[in-house]
Amino acid sequence: ADIISGSTAATYPRWRTKLIGCFLLCVGDDLILTTTDANAVLSRLLVDASVDDSLSVELHFASDKSLLRRSDPYIDPSPIQLDQICHISSVIETGEEIKYQTRIDTCWSDYFDNLVNSFSAPVIDIQQDTVGKVSSSQFTRQQLMERDDFNDWQQAEFKQLDTHDRDRMFGDPCPRPFLSIVLRSVWSYVLKWNGEKKARQCMDGRPLRDNKFRQLESVYTACISQVGMKIYIALVALLNFVILDLDAVNAFGQAGPLYDIVYLQIDQQYRDWYKSRKGKEIPKGWVLPVKGSLQGHPDAGEIWQTKVNTVLEKYKFKSTTHEPCLYRGNYKGKLILLCCQVDDMLIAGEDIALVREFANELSTQLNVTIGKSPSAHYNGLDILQTREGIKISCGTYIRKLQKAHGWNETSNKPLEPIDPRRVKELESTEGPLIESIEGKALRTKNGFNYRAVVGEIVYAYITCRPDYAFAVSLLRGSIHAQCNVIMMQFGGTLVFLGNISLVLYVAKLQPIVASSSGEGEFVQLVLTGKKVKYVRTVMSEFEFPQLMPSPIFGDNISSIMMANNVRPTDRTRHMDIRWFALQEWIHVDRDIIIIHIAGIINPSDALTKALAWLKHH
C-alpha cells in the first residue's frame, strides 16, 4: 500500500501505523457499512485485478478522536524509542515487554482475522553465534513450535496459566454471549539470561467498538520517574535510613475484578492447558470470562494503583502531586518512606527490624515477597548501602550489555575522555542512513543495531551515568540528523540535594536560538530554575520544606547580571517575557539565588562538551 506523493495524506506522519484501528468508510465509490460490504467489494476488485494489472482503488478511512489523541506524534513519554526499550528490558531481564497483536470484534470475519494476523505477527528470533552471545531473547509461538525444546516452553505456558488458575483470573469457558466484548490473548516469550524460559499471558485491551476503553485519562499506573527515584534514595541516605525491597506477586491478578464484564478469546495455549489439567476439550467458538485484572486491559493498571493507595491510606501514608509513587508515613511513631514502581516497592526506615515488621504487615493485605536483606538491586540499578551513604550504579546492567553483544574483550588502553579535536571530525562525518542498503550492510558487518545500542547506552545515562551525557548527545545526533545550521545552544544542568546527592541532570538543546552567549546562558538559568522549583515542590510536599533559597551556580557574569536586574536592558528587550520569570523567582518568591562560579570548576561543563583530560581529570 502507498499514498500518492505530494498529496495531503502523504504529509501525515507514520500513516501506516495511524491507520491501525481506523474505520473503513469507502472503497472507491462503494460505501462500506459492514464487514459483509467490505468482503463483497474486495472480492470483486480481486477478480478485476486478475484481468487488469493497472487497477487502483481509493480507500477512505476515519478515526475517532480518542485514537488520534493516543497516537499523537508529539506525545513522547521518553527520549528512548520503543524498539530500543525492547532491547533494554531484555538486558534488565524483566521479561515484561508486551507484543500487541490485532483486535477482535463481534462482527470481525475469519477472513479478515487471518489476513490481519498474517501482517501483524512479530518476526523476532533468537540467534546464537560461535561465541554464544544472544542477540534477542523474544520468540513467537510459531518459532517455538519448530524448536526441539518446545515442550519446555509449553511447560512455561502451563506455569503461567496455573498461576492465573490459582488467582481465579478466569471463569469457566462458556459460549460467546451476544454483543459481548471479546479480547485477544497476547503472549510474550523470553529466554532470560540465567537460561530460564518464561511465558507471560496478557490481553490486547483495545476493542474496536467501545471507545471508553481508550480514554487515555483513565488508563494509568503511576510510575516513578528517574528524578523521583534519585530524590527518594538521596533522602534515605541523608536520613541514614536502610532500604528493604518488596515484590508483588502477580500484581494485577490480585488487584480485583475489572469494572466491566469482558471475555477472552480462547487460544491454543489455553486449550492445551485445559486438556492437560482438566482432561476436557473446549468447544470451538467458546470464550473465557475474565474475573481478574489481567495485564493489558486498560482498567487493570488503575485498579492495582487504587488497591495500593487504599492499603497505604489505612496507615495514613501520603504521596506527592508530581511524584505519586513516593509515600511518607509513620509506623509505630517512626518515619517510613516508601517508593512504589507498579509491583516493585522499596521501604526505608531508621531500623531494619521495624521496616521488616511493617513489610510483614503489608504482606497480609498485599501478596508480596520480602527481600531477605537490605536492597541491593532495583529496576536495573545496583544499590550499595553503607554507613557512609548509598551508592547507585548500573554495573550489572552494563556487564549484561557487554555479554549480550559479545564485548567481553579487555583492553590495555587507558580510559580517558574523547579528544575534543575528534568531536568536530565525528560531527562533520556523514555515514549511511540506518535503513539504507549501506546502513543495513554495516549493521550486518558489526553485528548490532545502532539505534538499539544507543538506546541501551541512553538507559544507563538517564539512570545513574551523567558522565555519558556528551557521548549520548553525540550518538543520538547521528540518529536524528540534527542540523548544525540552526545553531541552537546545548545546555547542561546538575541539581544536587544536600550539596552532595545528584538527583537531576539534563543535557539538551535549548528551545530557542540565542543571539549571544550571555542570552544563551540566561535561558539556561531559567531552564535550571524550573528544575530547581520542581525539586523544591516535591520536597515540600514530602514534608521536607526548603526554608532557604536554592543557589544556582553559573559561569557567565553577564547572564547573572541580567537575572539580578529587575528591569529589561537594551540587550534583552527582544526576548519573550516568559524568560524573565527567573527574576520573579529570585526577587519575589525568593526560591533561588544566582552565584558566580569559575568556568574551570563548573561540573556541568561535562554534560555539554568534551573536556581535555589533563585540565579536568
Side-chain angles (χ1 to χ4, degrees):
D2 202 357
I3 285 180
I4 298 176
S5 178
S7 64
T8 304
T11 62
Y12 192 61
R14 302 199 308 271
W15 62 270
R16 291 180 179 85
T17 305
K18 300 300 176 63
L19 290 182
I20 297 176
C22 293
F23 297 96
L24 180 62
L25 300 182
C26 299
V27 177
D29 296 329
D30 296 297
L31 182 64
I32 304 299
L33 298 178
T34 64
T35 53
T36 304
D37 297 339
N39 269 318
V41 174
L42 293 176
S43 298
R44 173 169 52 81
L45 290 174
L46 186 62
V47 175
D48 296 342
S50 62
V51 180
D52 184 5
D53 294 337
S54 62
L55 180 66
S56 63
V57 65
E58 292 184 359
L59 304 180
H60 297 265
F61 295 90
S63 175
D64 62 280
K65 293 187 293 183
S66 61
L67 185 59
L68 286 174
R69 184 170 64 250
R70 168 167 284 192
S71 57
D72 191 341
Y74 299 103
I75 300 179
D76 186 8
S78 170
I80 306 179
Q81 303 301 317
L82 292 179
D83 57 344
Q84 299 167 337
I85 291 177
C86 291
H87 290 263
I88 295 169
S89 58
S90 297
V91 171
I92 301 177
E93 65 178 0
T94 60
E96 301 296 333
E97 57 270 22
I98 301 174
K99 297 297 179 186
Y100 285 110
Q101 299 173 0
T102 186
R103 292 164 285 198
I104 187 166
D105 185 55
T106 52
C107 63
W108 194 255
S109 69
D110 293 337
Y111 171 78
F112 282 104
D113 193 42
N114 296 329
L115 179 65
V116 175
N117 275 330
S118 66
F119 285 105
S120 64
V123 185
I124 304 175
D125 199 359
I126 185 171
Q127 300 175 357
Q128 295 221 239
D129 57 19
T130 55
V131 299
K133 71 176 183 179
V134 181
S135 58
S136 178
S137 58
Q138 303 175 45
F139 299 84
T140 64
R141 196 170 197 267
Q142 184 63 36
Q143 293 167 349
L144 295 178
M145 294 177 65
E146 298 172 358
R147 295 175 58 92
D148 297 334
D149 59 350
F150 172 68
N151 289 335
D152 297 336
W153 287 101
Q154 191 173 49
Q155 291 304 313
E157 295 174 345
F158 287 1
K159 181 180 179 181
Q160 171 75 109
L161 292 172
D162 286 339
T163 301
H164 288 333
D165 186 56
R166 183 186 66 244
D167 295 336
R168 299 180 181 179
M169 180 68 71
F170 305 121
D172 295 328
C174 63
R176 182 174 184 171
F178 181 66
L179 294 180
S180 59
I181 301 174
V182 180
L183 306 176
R184 186 184 300 276
S185 290
V186 180
W187 285 86
S188 62
Y189 302 91
V190 175
L191 179 62
K192 302 183 74 172
W193 295 101
N194 59 6
E196 177 188 356
K197 298 177 176 66
K198 183 175 181 179
R200 187 178 186 87
Q201 184 192 26
C202 303
M203 71 164 67
D204 183 352
R206 302 172 296 175
L208 287 175
R209 289 193 169 183
D210 200 338
N211 293 335
K212 74 174 181 177
F213 283 135
R214 292 200 295 265
Q215 294 295 328
L216 192 62
E217 296 82 3
S218 62
V219 182
Y220 75 96
T221 301
C223 295
I224 187 72
S225 69
Q226 290 296 331
V227 178
M229 182 68 191
K230 294 180 180 67
I231 291 176
Y232 176 81
I233 294 179
L235 280 174
V236 170
L238 292 171
L239 295 171
N240 200 25
F241 282 6
V242 62
I243 306 175
L244 191 68
D245 62 274
L246 286 74
D247 183 21
V249 180
N250 193 18
F252 288 178
Q254 60 173 297
L258 297 170
Y259 297 141
D260 297 273
I261 299 176
V262 298
Y263 297 85
L264 199 66
Q265 185 185 27
I266 298 178
D267 53 17
Q268 191 59 45
Q269 291 93 323
Y270 189 86
R271 292 181 183 277
D272 294 341
W273 174 85
Y274 196 84
K275 183 177 181 181
S276 174
R277 298 293 190 264
K278 311 292 184 181
K280 301 178 183 178
E281 296 278 359
I282 300 178
K284 186 177 181 181
W286 281 28
V287 293
L288 204 59
V290 180
K291 300 294 185 180
S293 300
L294 184 62
Q295 185 172 351
H297 191 281
D299 292 338
E302 180 186 359
I303 295 172
W304 167 247
Q305 186 69 38
T306 301
K307 180 171 183 177
V308 171
N309 290 338
T310 301
V311 170
L312 293 177
E313 285 172 359
K314 294 179 181 179
Y315 300 94
K316 298 183 179 180
F317 272 64
K318 297 180 180 180
S319 63
T320 65
T321 302
H322 299 293
E323 293 294 343
C325 292
L326 297 182
Y327 299 84
R328 174 195 170 116
N330 291 281
Y331 180 71
K332 293 187 175 181
K334 299 294 185 180
L335 176 63
I336 297 290
L337 302 181
L338 188 144
C339 173
C340 179
Q341 169 68 11
V342 189
D343 59 343
D344 297 316
M345 302 181 188
L346 295 179
I347 301 179
E350 63 181 22
D351 181 15
I352 184 64
L354 183 68
V355 173
R356 189 174 296 278
E357 182 182 347
F358 178 65
N360 288 328
E361 190 163 335
L362 281 181
S363 65
T364 62
Q365 303 176 65
L366 298 172
N367 185 9
V368 296
T369 57
I370 304 173
K372 297 180 180 179
S373 59
S375 301
H377 188 79
Y378 186 75
N379 282 348
L381 281 178
D382 299 326
I383 303 176
L384 177 61
Q385 303 186 60
T386 67
R387 294 180 60 183
E388 291 75 22
I390 299 177
K391 175 186 176 182
I392 59 173
S393 62
C394 54
T396 302
Y397 169 78
I398 293 177
R399 286 191 293 273
K400 291 176 180 178
L401 187 62
Q402 291 175 314
K403 181 180 178 181
H405 296 287
W407 296 338
N408 297 318
E409 300 83 1
T410 58
S411 174
N412 296 325
K413 184 179 180 181
L415 182 64
E416 60 183 52
I418 186 173
D419 190 333
R421 294 172 295 182
R422 295 292 307 275
V423 175
K424 290 188 178 297
E425 179 183 345
L426 290 172
E427 291 178 335
S428 60
T429 301
E430 293 187 5
L433 297 176
I434 293 178
E435 297 302 326
S436 65
I437 297 177
E438 296 81 2
K440 293 179 180 178
L442 191 62
R443 179 173 58 190
T444 302
K445 177 183 177 182
N446 294 327
F448 62 86
N449 184 304
Y450 183 81
R451 281 177 54 88
V453 170
V454 172
E456 292 163 350
I457 298 174
V458 167
Y459 181 81
Y461 157 63
I462 64 176
T463 52
C464 58
R465 294 303 299 261
D467 53 320
Y468 286 7
F470 181 73
V472 165
S473 65
L474 200 61
L475 294 173
R476 294 190 72 233
S478 300
I479 294 177
H480 300 291
Q482 293 173 348
C483 181
N484 292 327
V485 179
I486 299 179
M487 297 304 293
M488 288 182 177
Q489 292 197 23
F490 198 75
T493 295
L494 298 172
V495 179
F496 292 86
L497 192 62
N499 296 327
I500 55 175
S501 300
L502 180 61
V503 298
L504 186 152
Y505 48 89
V506 178
K508 60 185 298 184
L509 288 173
Q510 293 181 353
I512 65 171
V513 179
S515 59
S516 66
S517 60
E519 181 180 331
E521 294 284 355
F522 181 77
V523 169
Q524 192 61 36
L525 285 177
V526 179
L527 298 176
T528 301
K530 292 181 178 180
K531 305 299 183 184
V532 170
K533 287 182 69 68
Y534 159 65
V535 175
R536 288 175 63 93
T537 300
V538 173
M539 292 294 293
S540 297
E541 290 192 344
F542 218 38
E543 298 185 20
F544 293 97
Q546 307 301 293
L547 303 179
M548 299 294 292
S550 299
I552 296 180
F553 295 90
D555 55 14
N556 186 277
I557 296 178
S558 63
S559 63
I560 296 176
M561 294 177 65
M562 291 164 58
N564 291 329
N565 191 355
V566 295
R567 297 172 299 177
T569 66
D570 293 341
R571 298 180 180 272
T572 60
R573 288 175 178 171
H574 64 283
M575 296 179 63
D576 289 343
I577 194 67
R578 59 188 175 119
W579 298 111
F580 294 93
L582 178 64
Q583 295 176 342
E584 180 177 342
W585 302 338
I586 296 173
H587 301 288
V588 180
D589 299 339
R590 299 190 182 277
D591 289 337
I592 294 170
I593 57 174
I594 310 297
I595 302 175
H596 179 260
I597 185 175
I600 196 170
I601 60 173
N602 188 351
S604 64
D605 279 351
L607 300 176
T608 59
K609 55 181 71 70
L611 302 179
W613 173 254
L614 294 177
K615 192 174 183 180
H616 295 275
H617 176 55

